[in-house]
């Protein structure tokens, strides 16, 4: 399969045009809460959905820094599209770094992705378990059948599920000695029930619905990383720099979009009692400076960190990535809130994008590991205790 599917190297210099294309439809998708098909198509046509496919498969194999730039641009245009794309990019990146898929199965994924948008996502969170980032094992069960496996269970927050081609479902086997693994389920497989319960404050078009799996059958070979119960089966909160930093960049893109609207408002708003744009007032200039300071520093942290990860010199510890994401998320949410308070009632009106940007950026701290878990890992490293969990 090596090099069988040549994928174009995305032109990152044209990302601004993709941002504009996504921004043109973002409000409508947000209002309706529908799957952002047009935005996903735009990302595919720009070669962004396969940007992290490994070189051995004919892919561009873009690194963490370029992935962060892509998600920053997509996030500025439509963060729902960006988050759906981020999940696929993360899957391809992991396969490029450590091939672990069955070759034939991954070859099928790439063959489809060469001609149309193909979306993948890990489906791990469960109603009872919550986020795997806090430990625990799935109650979703994979039972052996004569031809493979049958999966039953419930999952939460399956981002983009209405458009997913492949669901990577985390489940426990019903064997005498149970094992845990990821079961690769076609998005069109019979027995997948989408609840359509996603009615969120932000990222409304991400379609992160709950799903139920009712005896969903897959072939025997559609399994990744099947292992015994234990620490190796749990989520490592420290080892995700390749996802933490691009996710932070995504929400910084949202904050930049909000900043852009604040600037336009400041230059266009001319109160009768002033006779000139409010951009010239001390109040607007001071808050604009606060916003710029937060976003400039956050982007420096994220993009410099991503370049160091790509440099692979070993000097950038996992805790550095966690810390960069914590601070970037704080700065992004604070920057948008500052803009909202500056504009007052006009900022809260649904006839402009700032209200939507404010809602979307609230999703930044929600992604696992959440801030308390990240700080625990950072503090354990700082103290040299060598454990994320208290004893």
């Amino acid at each position: 399969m090596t090099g069988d599917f040549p994928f174009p190297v995305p032109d990152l210099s044209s990302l601004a045009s993709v941002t504009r294309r996504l921004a043109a439809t973002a409000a409508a998708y947000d209002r309706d809460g529908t799957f952002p098909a047009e935005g996903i198509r735009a990302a595919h046509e720009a070669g962004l959905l396969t940007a992290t496919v490994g070189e051995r498969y004919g892919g561009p194999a873009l690194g963490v820094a370029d992935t962060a730039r892509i998600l920053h641009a997509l996030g500025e245009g439509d963060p729902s599209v960006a988050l759906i794309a981020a999940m696929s990019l993360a899957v391809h990146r992991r396969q490029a770094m450590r091939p672990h898929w069955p070759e034939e199965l991954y070859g099928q994924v790439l063959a489809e992705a060469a001609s149309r948008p193909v979306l993948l996502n890990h489906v791990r969170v469960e109603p009872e378990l919550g986020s795997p980032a806090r430990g625990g094992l799935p109650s979703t069960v994979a039972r052996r059948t004569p031809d493979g496996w049958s999966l039953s269970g419930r999952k939460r927050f399956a981002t983009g599920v209405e458009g997913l081609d492949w669901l990577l479902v985390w489940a426990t086997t019903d064997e005498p000695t149970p094992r845990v693994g990821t079961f690769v389920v076609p998005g069109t497989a019979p027995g997948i029930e989408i609840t359509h319960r996603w009615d969120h404050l932000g990222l409304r078009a991400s379609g992160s619905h709950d799903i139920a799996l009712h005896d969903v059958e897959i072939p025997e070979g559609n399994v990744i990383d099947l292992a015994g119960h234990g620490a190796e089966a749990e989520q490592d909160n420290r080892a995700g720099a390749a996802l933490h930093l691009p996710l932070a960049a995504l929400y910084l893109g949202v904050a930049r979009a909000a900043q852009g609207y604040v600037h336009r408002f400041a230059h266009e708003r001319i109160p009768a009692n002033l006779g000139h744009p409010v951009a010239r007032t001390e109040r607007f200039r001071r808050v604009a400076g606060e916003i710029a300071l937060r976003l400039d520093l956050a982007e420096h942290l994220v993009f410099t960190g991503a370049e160091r990860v790509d440099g692979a010199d070993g000097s950038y510890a996992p805790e550095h990535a966690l810390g960069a994401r914590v601070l970037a998320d704080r700065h992004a949410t604070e920057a948008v809130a500052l803009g909202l308070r500056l504009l007052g009632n006009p900022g809260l009106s649904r006839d402009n994008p700032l209200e939507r940007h404010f809602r979307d950026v609230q999703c930044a701290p929600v992604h696992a590991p959440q801030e308390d878990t990240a700080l625990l890992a950072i503090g354990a490293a700082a103290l040299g205790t060598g454990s994320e969990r208290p004893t």
Side-chain angles (χ1 to χ4, degrees), residues 177-201:
T177 303
R179 294 180 291 169
V180 173
T182 299
F183 295 79
V184 185
V185 179
T188 56
I192 300 175
E193 176 191 358
I194 302 174
T195 65
H196 295 98
R197 289 182 54 210
W198 181 251
D199 189 11
H200 215 245
L201 177 71

Side-chain angles (χ1 to χ4, degrees), residues 19 23 71-79 82 250 252-254 256-257 356-357:
T19 299
L71 293 183
H72 187 278
L74 296 181
E76 188 173 354
D78 186 340
L250 187 164
L252 288 170
V254 176
R256 286 297 188 188
R356 170 166 50 88
H357 299 324

Side-chain angles (χ1 to χ4, degrees), residues 161-309:
V161 67
E162 293 166 298
L164 291 183
D165 296 272
W166 300 93
L167 286 70
L168 281 60
V169 179
W170 196 46
T172 303
T173 69
D174 70 340
E175 299 164 312
T177 303
R179 294 180 291 169
V180 173
T182 299
F183 295 79
V184 185
V185 179
T188 56
I192 300 175
E193 176 191 358
I194 302 174
T195 65
H196 295 98
R197 289 182 54 210
W198 181 251
D199 189 11
H200 215 245
L201 177 71
L203 269 68
R204 290 178 46 78
S206 69
S208 301
H209 300 292
D210 293 3
I211 64 170
L213 304 166
H214 303 289
D215 298 318
V216 177
E217 296 191 6
I218 60 171
E220 183 176 7
N222 283 34
V223 184
I224 300 171
D225 291 339
L226 197 57
H229 285 193
E232 69 277 4
E234 298 181 5
Q235 179 165 310
D236 183 351
N237 292 317
R238 298 172 62 256
L243 182 59
H244 298 326
L245 295 173
L247 270 181
L250 187 164
Y251 290 100
L252 288 170
V254 176
R256 286 297 188 188
Q259 180 192 40
Y261 179 78
V262 170
H263 287 185
R264 290 195 300 276
F265 179 94
H267 286 289
E268 294 170 2
R269 172 66 174 149
I270 305 175
N273 63 323
L274 276 182
H276 59 75
V278 293
R280 292 168 55 184
T281 66
E282 181 177 326
R283 176 169 173 259
F284 268 76
R285 284 182 292 170
R286 180 180 293 113
V287 176
E290 289 280 356
I291 292 172
L293 179 64
R294 282 167 169 76
L295 298 186
D296 289 348
L297 288 174
E299 287 178 356
H300 177 76
L301 274 175
V302 168
F303 288 109
T304 300
E307 289 167 0
R308 290 180 63 186
V309 173

Side-chain angles (χ1 to χ4, degrees), residues 26-175:
Y29 283 123
D30 171 83
R31 182 172 55 252
D32 298 338
T34 51
F35 181 79
E38 189 171 338
I40 293 295
R41 185 163 50 250
H44 165 73
E45 291 173 358
L48 304 182
L49 297 181
T50 51
T52 55
V53 171
E55 289 183 354
R56 69 192 299 261
Y57 306 112
L62 295 191
V64 179
D66 284 337
T67 302
R69 293 184 183 96
I70 289 170
L71 293 183
H72 187 278
L74 296 181
E76 188 173 354
D78 186 340
S80 290
V81 172
L83 185 62
I84 294 169
M87 301 301 106
S88 292
L89 290 171
V91 172
H92 289 306
R93 162 80 183 187
R94 187 179 177 203
Q95 176 67 11
M97 299 301 293
R98 184 181 72 82
H100 56 291
W101 282 60
E103 284 284 299
E104 184 177 348
L105 181 59
Y106 192 62
Q108 181 182 347
V109 171
L110 294 182
E112 296 170 358
S115 59
R116 63 176 181 83
V118 169
L119 301 176
L120 311 92
N121 193 6
H122 285 273
V123 184
R124 294 172 61 88
V125 181
E126 295 183 346
E128 296 81 12
L129 175 66
S131 171
R134 298 184 183 276
L137 295 169
S139 60
T140 300
V141 176
R143 297 179 175 86
R144 293 305 301 257
T145 68
D147 299 317
W149 301 91
S150 174
L151 278 77
S152 295
R154 295 183 177 274
K155 295 291 186 180
R156 302 205 70 190
F157 310 130
T159 295
V161 67
E162 293 166 298
L164 291 183
D165 296 272
W166 300 93
L167 286 70
L168 281 60
V169 179
W170 196 46
T172 303
T173 69
D174 70 340
E175 299 164 312

